[in-house]
Amino acid sequence: MEENHSYSVGQVAALSGVTVRTLHHYDQIGILSPGRQPPNGYRRYEDCDLDKLRQILFYRELGFPLEEVATILEDAPANQSVHLRRQHRLLRDRIARLERIVAVVEKEMEASQMNISLTPEERFEVFGDFKPEDYAEEAEQRWGDTDAYRESHRRVTTYTNDDWQELKSQSTDIDRRLAAALGAGAAADGEEAMDLAEEHRMHITRWFYDCGYDIHVGLGDMYVGDPRFTARYEEIAPALAQFLRDAIRANARRAEAS
Amino acid sequence: MEENHSYSVGQVAALSGVTVRTLHHYDQIGILSPGRQPPNGYRRYEDCDLDKLRQILFYRELGFPLEEVATILEDAPANQSVHLRRQHRLLRDRIARLERIVAVVEKEMEASQMNISLTPEERFEVFGDFKPEDYAEEAEQRWGDTDAYRESHRRVTTYTNDDWQELKSQSTDIDRRLAAALGAGAAADGEEAMDLAEEHRMHITRWFYDCGYDIHVGLGDMYVGDPRFTARYEEIAPALAQFLRDAIRANARRAEAS
DNA sequence: GCTTGACCCTGACGTAGCGTGAGGGTCTAA
DNA sequence: TTAGACCCTCACGCTACGTCAGGGTCAAGC
């Protein structure tokens, strides 16, 4: 394998399974630009180009926009083990997500066989008990750092049943008080709501991971934007998810101002 | 839950996590068209609309084009258990695919830790020993029926180590003879190459699943179109994947003509 | 009744990531 | 020289929305 070998665009397309058009496109946007063969300007791809294409295709497979793939590859252009670790984690995350959905579908299959007719709200309940760490992963993918996820995972695995009881009790209490504040007409950016949002944030920090204000805001957006959370909070009180989201935002602004 | 409740487009967007624009779009293309509130024409979504949206989002999550989602939902508009079974299978398939990729990445991590520097071709070798059943699933998704996959899986689980040795020996022998024919200048649509393709097909039928000519042609296309197979055959002899693909096609045409 | 903010409507341009085709150049074997 | 395979650039079109424009409707507060 000492041979100095280069490939035409057609050969690379055949090897990799992407089209010539795709390779042109990647060249045009600058994510994979091969050398050019004088005097006709034909593209020639080297082995390192193939390596790079392989990484591109992997991240594309997992749904990353090309612009983001470009950023990833710039950050760690040559360090193969960095990519491998990242890819491994991403794959594991994706599988875990799909496994959760499978569990939901299986539960519904059971319910369906028992001829239980669930309402739309009840259907969301099948997602199981609400645990922030189930969803913080998504917040991280959107806004945060993977250290928080690992930290959360590390802590959670050490908890006893008593720990879970206490955690749940505190979580329920915060929810209840949020609903009460909403019911009493408290402003989402008032002191009371902000203090509750702060308690909410510290609860996560206490039990799961260090939840900075950025992450917290991301979580708040997710409570409103994701039907699982929204329904969860709607069950407690109508419009609670939005109230909490707004309180979280106000709380973050308060913290930023001080 | 006896309440006759309907939702505005904004409420549905909040509940479901999709945008108002998306709901407008779905209404426009006819995949999810709610009722309209006189006299202002505001959209009102019923519970059954929410159910339908949930199915749409599920299939969208798995990458189905909306047009195909529409077809799926037309075919089984009300039979919830049909959807559940299909969704379950799709999810399982996706997870299995990702698990295979994980295995590849893990193997590369091992190689990386041992400071083994792999060439692009060798990297494909990390996919492990060539087993048609590893890839027949993809052929099935493209061209075949899932019965073959189940049959393959059923057989393979019964094989002993001796079975694997024999299987591998035969497979290697076929590859070697294909390479020899190619090296001797045999035409891909000549008798010799077609006979070898036929042996190849019967080998799969013997050891994995009933490989009809359609499936076989699909496999041949995949050997050329997928870098994993192409590289595998390139290692044995240059251009072998294409030679085999052409021989498979010729063989299928021969069988069709008789 | 008026004002205001939130939400509703339709219409339309633009984007990401290519697929497809037009029109023409280059390479290689016969 | 010819023909077929492959190369090039250019450009329109597609899917599934994102974003914005411009204007109507609703409901609470003054």
Side-chain angles (χ1 to χ4, degrees):
Chain A
M1 290 294 171
E2 290 278 11
E3 194 174 329
N4 188 18
H5 194 230
S6 69
Y7 307 87
S8 70
V9 70
Q11 288 170 323
V12 176
L15 267 174
S16 66
V18 298
T19 62
V20 169
R21 178 72 183 91
T22 301
L23 294 167
H24 285 177
H25 179 65
Y26 290 173
D27 189 3
Q28 181 179 27
I29 64 174
I31 198 175
L32 181 63
S33 299
R36 293 301 186 107
Q37 167 181 308
N40 55 22
Y42 285 7
R43 294 175 175 80
R44 301 304 300 182
Y45 293 84
E46 311 291 342
D47 282 341
C48 61
D49 295 317
L50 292 193
D51 283 342
K52 189 170 182 182
L53 177 59
R54 194 159 175 279
Q55 304 295 348
I56 291 167
L57 295 185
F58 173 86
Y59 288 111
R60 188 184 76 164
E61 171 88 19
L62 282 191
F64 285 84
L66 291 182
E67 190 170 317
E68 198 170 338
V69 174
T71 303
I72 291 170
L73 294 183
E74 279 169 24
D75 290 351
N79 197 331
Q80 178 71 345
S81 70
V82 169
H83 284 302
L84 288 171
R85 285 201 297 272
R86 182 194 295 246
Q87 289 165 13
H88 191 257
R89 175 176 53 80
L90 288 168
L91 283 162
R92 279 284 170 223
D93 292 348
R94 177 63 61 86
I95 289 170
R97 175 183 170 87
L98 292 176
E99 294 280 11
R100 288 199 297 273
I101 301 182
V102 164
V104 170
V105 170
E106 283 173 352
K107 205 161 185 182
E108 288 193 40
M109 285 167 82
E110 278 182 37
S112 180
Q113 281 173 359
M114 295 188 285
N115 276 316
I116 297 176
S117 177
L118 300 177
T119 68
E121 288 89 357
E122 285 168 337
R123 199 147 300 169
F124 293 119
E125 178 63 22
V126 180
F127 283 103
D129 290 335
F130 173 67
K131 293 177 189 171
E133 85 276 12
D134 283 342
Y135 310 112
E137 179 195 358
E138 293 190 17
E140 282 159 2
Q141 281 180 356
R142 295 182 191 186
W143 308 286
D145 180 311
T146 58
D147 288 335
Y149 179 72
R150 285 192 290 267
E151 172 67 4
S152 167
H153 187 71
R154 189 188 62 81
R155 293 192 202 178
V156 164
T157 53
T158 67
Y159 291 161
T160 64
N161 282 340
D162 285 341
D163 290 327
W164 282 111
Q165 296 281 13
E166 188 180 5
L167 181 160
K168 186 72 186 292
S169 168
Q170 289 180 8
S171 179
T172 302
D173 183 61
I174 292 171
D175 291 343
R176 186 187 51 78
R177 280 189 287 137
L178 279 164
L182 174 63
D189 58 354
E191 285 287 329
E192 187 186 0
M194 286 194 286
D195 288 340
L196 286 169
E198 180 62 17
E199 274 201 46
H200 184 266
R201 186 181 72 87
M202 292 180 71
H203 175 75
I204 292 173
T205 294
R206 156 73 183 86
W207 290 102
F208 299 107
Y209 58 86
D210 295 327
C211 182
Y213 291 100
D214 286 345
I215 300 284
H216 204 215
V217 169
L219 279 172
D221 285 335
M222 204 159 55
Y223 296 151
V224 172
D226 188 316
R228 287 170 295 176
F229 306 116
T230 307
R232 173 71 190 180
Y233 282 112
E234 293 287 336
E235 284 165 5
I236 300 169
L240 185 58
Q242 185 149 14
F243 179 75
L244 175 57
R245 192 272 311 272
D246 294 336
I248 288 173
R249 283 183 175 175
N251 186 45
R253 286 196 296 270
R254 182 176 63 169
E256 193 172 33
S258 62
Chain B
M1 291 293 171
E2 288 280 12
E3 193 174 327
N4 189 18
H5 194 230
S6 69
Y7 307 87
S8 69
V9 69
Q11 288 171 325
V12 175
L15 266 176
S16 65
V18 298
T19 62
V20 169
R21 177 72 183 90
T22 300
L23 293 168
H24 285 178
H25 179 66
Y26 289 172
D27 188 3
Q28 181 178 27
I29 65 176
I31 199 175
L32 180 64
S33 299
R36 294 301 186 106
Q37 167 182 310
N40 55 21
Y42 286 5
R43 293 175 176 84
R44 301 304 301 181
Y45 292 83
E46 311 291 342
D47 282 342
C48 60
D49 295 319
L50 292 193
D51 282 344
K52 189 169 181 182
L53 176 59
R54 194 159 176 281
Q55 304 296 344
I56 291 167
L57 296 185
F58 174 85
Y59 289 111
R60 188 185 75 164
E61 171 89 20
L62 283 191
F64 286 83
L66 291 181
E67 190 170 315
E68 199 170 338
V69 174
T71 302
I72 291 170
L73 295 183
E74 280 170 23
D75 288 351
N79 196 335
Q80 179 70 347
S81 71
V82 169
H83 285 299
L84 289 171
R85 284 199 299 270
R86 182 195 298 239
Q87 288 165 13
H88 193 257
R89 174 174 55 81
L90 288 168
L91 284 163
R92 279 286 171 222
D93 291 348
R94 177 66 60 87
I95 289 171
R97 176 181 170 87
L98 292 176
E99 293 279 12
R100 288 199 298 275
I101 302 182
V102 164
V104 169
V105 171
E106 282 172 351
K107 205 160 185 183
E108 287 193 42
M109 285 167 80
E110 279 182 36
S112 182
Q113 280 174 1
M114 295 188 284
N115 276 316
I116 296 175
S117 179
L118 301 177
T119 67
E121 288 88 355
E122 285 167 340
R123 198 145 301 167
F124 292 119
E125 177 65 20
V126 181
F127 282 104
D129 290 334
F130 175 67
K131 293 176 189 169
E133 87 276 9
D134 282 344
Y135 311 111
E137 181 193 356
E138 293 192 17
E140 283 160 2
Q141 283 181 356
R142 296 182 191 185
W143 309 287
D145 177 314
T146 57
D147 287 336
Y149 179 72
R150 286 193 289 268
E151 171 69 2
S152 167
H153 188 70
R154 190 186 61 79
R155 295 192 200 179
V156 164
T157 53
T158 67
Y159 291 161
T160 64
N161 281 341
D162 284 340
D163 290 326
W164 283 111
Q165 296 282 10
E166 187 180 6
L167 180 161
K168 184 72 188 290
S169 168
Q170 289 180 6
S171 179
T172 303
D173 182 62
I174 292 171
D175 292 341
R176 185 186 53 77
R177 281 188 287 139
L178 278 165
L182 174 62
D189 58 353
E191 286 289 328
E192 187 186 1
M194 286 192 287
D195 288 341
L196 286 169
E198 180 63 16
E199 275 201 45
H200 183 266
R201 186 181 72 86
M202 293 182 68
H203 174 75
I204 294 172
T205 293
R206 158 72 184 85
W207 289 103
F208 298 109
Y209 57 88
D210 295 326
C211 184
Y213 290 101
D214 285 343
I215 301 283
H216 203 215
V217 168
L219 280 173
D221 286 335
M222 203 157 56
Y223 296 151
V224 171
D226 187 317
R228 287 170 294 176
F229 306 118
T230 306
R232 172 71 191 179
Y233 282 113
E234 292 288 335
E235 283 165 7
I236 300 168
L240 185 57
Q242 187 151 11
F243 179 74
L244 175 57
R245 191 272 313 268
D246 293 337
I248 287 172
R249 284 183 175 176
N251 186 43
R253 286 196 297 269
R254 182 175 63 168
E256 194 172 36
S258 62

